[in-house]
């Protein structure tokens, strides 16, 4: 097994700050914004982005988590997944919701998130922010804000680590194969 | 995760807590406008009820519909069972009709086990009450209610360690009591069972409980919850106690006993209640009573159970 670190703590911090700037730029400020992270690491990333927006703009953006487990299209092909909590602090009707996840891959998680969102209300605009876009989309979905494009092969594993859950901020690419 | 839910006795502490945590997520949905989830879309579940039931059957049906499953309700009355069809033939018929899960209530202890073990049908089975054996979803909803009252918003991942629960009444006929005794034991609670000696089954000395015949003595210590059982007159073919008045005086939650109860002690009852027999109206309708919360929580717990056993690949979910 070989693992390469492709982003270190400072790279992650810069990417988060840039995403925060881009969100504020395209939204023309922080009005009406709601950040919804997809558990587990999307929630952490969303909190980081919210903190960065506060640094830049001084605004506290509503922050929540949106669990998509029950909306997945592969519930019957994999071992049972335990759902995670969904907490949406404000009414999302007419809001600009930014979905946040750590890695964008097939796009199926985001598809499930869009379904979950529809059950919660009708935002005016839904955007997608991810730390890593690794390609290999299976659905017509793209991210609006990307920390880093990371071309990968399907056999590789991308591990996003945050201090909150993994004791370190880093992104590793695990090439698999022999050790 | 588990393949079937037949009893709480073979449910590990980890699985039980995982089910209660999933039920928390389901409860959070109850607050929103659209209460439906697509998780079991395209799955057909049959509710096979060989015994009368109001709350359990409706609760299962609500849970199934909230998860977008298709529901077939079967009750023995008005079906071919009244023409003498056997359980096996009914199940074989349902298999050919293509069901993905069976929820069964049956007057014979062990009927759900039979369905799970025989090769009549290869789908998950949920026990919704079998004879005097077990009623696992009732125990799970009781534990969920208790955990929520004791730990509040901080209940995720927790058991009921150190909680003191007194179960009172017709233990002999009660599948609710049996399921609760095992589940509460797995979750770390201490259980005292109080009943007239005639309503304590032989073998109870091997259960992880303290047996008492004196309700006032059992309630003289601090108690987190007192769980009143229904006197199951329909199952009583002999005289277990002299008369209703004497039962109420000895083992009912009367107004006098209710007045002596600490305000923090929760009052639980699996329903349907015999008001004036095992529980007085003052207690049942008091602010200490969580009887209606039990009903509401039943839906969330059953959603968690159905979700857990009906999703995932069956190869992996075999325990």
């Amino acid at each position: 097994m070989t693992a390469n670190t492709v982003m270190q703590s400072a790279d992650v911090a810069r990417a988060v700050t840039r995403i925060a700037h881009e969100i504020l730029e395209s939204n023309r400020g922080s009005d009406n914004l709601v950040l919804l992270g997809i558990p587990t690491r999307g929630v952490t990333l969303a909190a980081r982005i919210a903190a960065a927006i506060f640094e830049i703009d001084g605004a506290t953006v509503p922050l929540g988590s949106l669990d998509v487990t029950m909306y997945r299209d592969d519930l019957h092909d994999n071992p049972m997944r335990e759902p995670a909590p969904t907490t949406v602090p404000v009414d999302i009707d007419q809001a600009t919701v930014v979905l946040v996840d750590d890695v964008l891959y097939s796009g199926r998680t985001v598809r499930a998130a869009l379904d979950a969102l529809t059950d919660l209300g009708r935002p005016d605009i839904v955007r997608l922010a991810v730390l890593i876009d690794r390609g290999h989309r299976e659905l017509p979905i793209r991210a609006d804000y990307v920390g880093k494009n990371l071309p990968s092969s399907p056999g590789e594993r991308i591990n996003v680590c945050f201090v909150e859950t993994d004791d370190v901020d880093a992104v590793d690419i695990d090439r698999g194969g022999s050790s | 995760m588990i393949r079937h839910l037949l009893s709480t006795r073979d449910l590990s502490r980890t699985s039980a807590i995982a089910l209660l945590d999933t039920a928390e997520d389901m409860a959070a949905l109850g607050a929103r406008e659209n209460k439906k989830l697509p998780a079991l879309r395209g799955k057909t579940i049959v509710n096979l009820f060989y015994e009368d039931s109001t709350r359990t059957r409706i609760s299962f049906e609500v849970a199934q519909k909230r998860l977008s499953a298709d529901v077939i309700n079967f009750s023995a009355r008005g079906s071919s069972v009244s023409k003498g069809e056997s359980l096996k033939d009914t199940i074989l018929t349902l298999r050919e009709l293509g069901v993905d899960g069976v929820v069964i209530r049956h007057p014979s202890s062990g009927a759900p086990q039979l369905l799970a073990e025989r090769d009549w049908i290869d789908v998950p089975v949920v026990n919704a009450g079998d004879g005097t054996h077990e009623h696992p979803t009732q125990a799970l909803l009781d534990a969920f209610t208790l955990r929520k009252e004791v730990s509040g918003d901080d209940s995720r991942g927790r058991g009921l360690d150190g909680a003191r629960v007194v179960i009172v009444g017709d233990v002999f006929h009660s599948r609710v009591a049996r399921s609760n005794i095992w589940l509460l034991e797995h979750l770390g609670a201490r259980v005292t069972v109080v009943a007239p000696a005639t309503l304590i089954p032989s073998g109870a000395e091997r259960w992880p409980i303290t047996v008492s015949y004196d309700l006032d003595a059992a309630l003289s210590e601090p108690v987190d919850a007192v769980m009143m059982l229904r006197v199951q007159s329909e199952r009583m073919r002999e005289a277990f106690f002299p008369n209703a008045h004497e039962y109420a005086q000895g083992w009912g939650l009367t107004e006098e006993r209710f007045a002596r109860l600490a305000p923090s002690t929760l009052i639980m009852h699996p329903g349907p209640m015999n008001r004036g027999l095992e529980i007085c109206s003052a207690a049942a309708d008091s602010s200490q009573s969580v009887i209606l919360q039990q009903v509401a929580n039943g839906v969330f717990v059953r959603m968690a159970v159905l979700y857990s056993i009906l999703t995932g690949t069956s190869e992996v979910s075999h325990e």
Side-chain angles (χ1 to χ4, degrees), chain B residues 176-217:
Chain B
V176 174
R178 282 169 183 75
S179 284
N180 261 304
I181 285 165
W182 294 113
L183 185 62
L184 288 169
E185 152 79 3
H186 296 331
L187 293 175
R190 287 177 300 147
V191 179
T192 302
V193 161
V194 186
T198 48
L199 288 173
I200 298 280
S202 64
E205 64 279 1
R206 292 193 298 274
W207 292 350
I209 53 167
T210 310
V211 175
S212 165
Y213 307 109
D214 184 345
L215 182 54
D216 292 311

Side-chain angles (χ1 to χ4, degrees), chain A residues 66-67 69-72 74-86 93 111 115-116 118-120, chain B residues 1 18 22 25-26 28-29 32 34 36-41 43 67 156 307-313 316:
Chain A
L66 181 69
D67 183 52
T69 311
M70 311 293 281
Y71 294 86
R72 300 193 74 93
D74 58 356
L75 277 177
H76 305 291
D77 306 323
N78 287 299
M80 201 277 288
R81 288 167 185 267
E82 274 181 36
T86 290
D93 285 350
R111 196 232 25 106
D115 274 0
T118 307
D119 280 357
L120 287 173
Chain B
M1 209 45 224
T22 302
D25 297 322
M26 304 297 178
L29 288 171
R32 61 187 226 193
N34 180 349
K36 242 174 136 110
L37 286 170
L40 297 183
R41 199 164 47 193
K43 298 275 176 188
L67 291 171
R156 266 171 213 281
Y307 169 76
S308 298
I309 71 168
L310 279 161
T311 63
T313 46
V316 189

Side-chain angles (χ1 to χ4, degrees), chain B residues 10-312:
Chain B
D10 46 53
L11 202 61
S12 68
R13 179 183 166 99
T14 317
S15 304
I17 290 178
L19 283 172
L20 297 182
D21 289 351
T22 302
E24 298 270 359
D25 297 322
M26 304 297 178
L29 288 171
R32 61 187 226 193
E33 208 169 308
N34 180 349
K35 296 180 174 60
K36 242 174 136 110
L37 286 170
L40 297 183
R41 199 164 47 193
K43 298 275 176 188
T44 303
I45 305 172
V46 62
N47 295 322
L48 204 55
F49 276 67
Y50 283 86
E51 232 183 45
D52 295 341
S53 163
T54 308
R55 71 203 70 224
T56 304
R57 191 179 57 74
I58 293 174
S59 178
F60 265 110
E61 189 173 344
V62 171
Q64 289 150 356
K65 288 182 167 166
R66 292 247 175 110
L67 291 171
S68 306
D70 293 315
V71 184
I72 301 172
N73 283 314
F74 171 102
S75 58
R77 265 181 219 174
S79 73
S80 292
V81 171
S82 54
K83 299 176 191 165
E85 187 172 63
S86 71
L87 177 61
K88 178 180 175 180
D89 287 332
T90 303
I91 286 295
L92 293 178
T93 305
L94 291 169
R95 181 181 73 189
E96 295 309 311
L97 292 171
V99 303
D100 300 296
V102 175
V103 174
I104 180 170
R105 163 166 291 194
H106 203 282
S108 302
S109 303
Q113 183 105 22
L114 198 67
L115 286 197
E117 286 173 359
R118 295 292 168 89
D119 58 358
W120 301 341
I121 193 164
D122 184 27
V123 299
V125 176
V126 178
N127 180 1
D130 61 332
T132 58
H133 175 227
E134 283 228 29
H135 191 355
T137 57
Q138 177 71 43
L140 283 165
L141 77 87
D142 290 340
F144 181 86
T145 307
L146 201 51
R147 192 177 77 153
K148 214 149 179 57
E149 293 291 332
V150 172
S151 305
D153 290 338
D154 194 26
S155 55
R156 266 171 213 281
R158 287 174 187 266
L160 288 168
D161 300 283
R164 209 167 156 258
V165 180
V166 176
I167 301 178
V168 190
D170 187 358
V171 181
F172 188 90
H173 297 100
S174 179
R175 52 198 178 206
V176 174
R178 282 169 183 75
S179 284
N180 261 304
I181 285 165
W182 294 113
L183 185 62
L184 288 169
E185 152 79 3
H186 296 331
L187 293 175
R190 287 177 300 147
V191 179
T192 302
V193 161
V194 186
T198 48
L199 288 173
I200 298 280
S202 64
E205 64 279 1
R206 292 193 298 274
W207 292 350
I209 53 167
T210 310
V211 175
S212 165
Y213 307 109
D214 184 345
L215 182 54
D216 292 311
L219 293 181
S220 63
E221 292 174 55
V223 172
D224 292 291
V226 51
M227 203 178 277
M228 305 307 298
L229 299 172
R230 184 172 66 90
V231 175
Q232 303 195 26
S233 313
E234 80 278 12
R235 292 187 211 275
M236 293 187 184
R237 295 193 182 85
E238 46 191 299
F240 287 93
F241 48 85
N243 58 51
H245 178 72
E246 215 162 298
Y247 181 89
Q249 285 307 308
W251 297 278
L253 187 55
T254 56
E255 283 179 27
E256 298 76 53
R257 285 199 181 95
F258 171 56
R260 287 201 299 270
L261 220 52
S264 61
T265 303
L266 302 174
I267 296 165
M268 306 176 82
H269 192 295
M273 290 183 274
N274 296 309
R275 286 174 186 256
L277 182 54
E278 70 261 7
I279 188 166
C280 68
S281 283
D285 302 330
S286 71
S287 58
Q288 282 168 256
S289 159
V290 289
I291 296 169
L292 290 174
Q293 282 97 306
Q294 289 174 273
V295 177
N297 292 337
V299 173
F300 309 137
V301 162
R302 290 178 176 116
M303 286 173 79
V305 167
L306 292 166
Y307 169 76
S308 298
I309 71 168
L310 279 161
T311 63

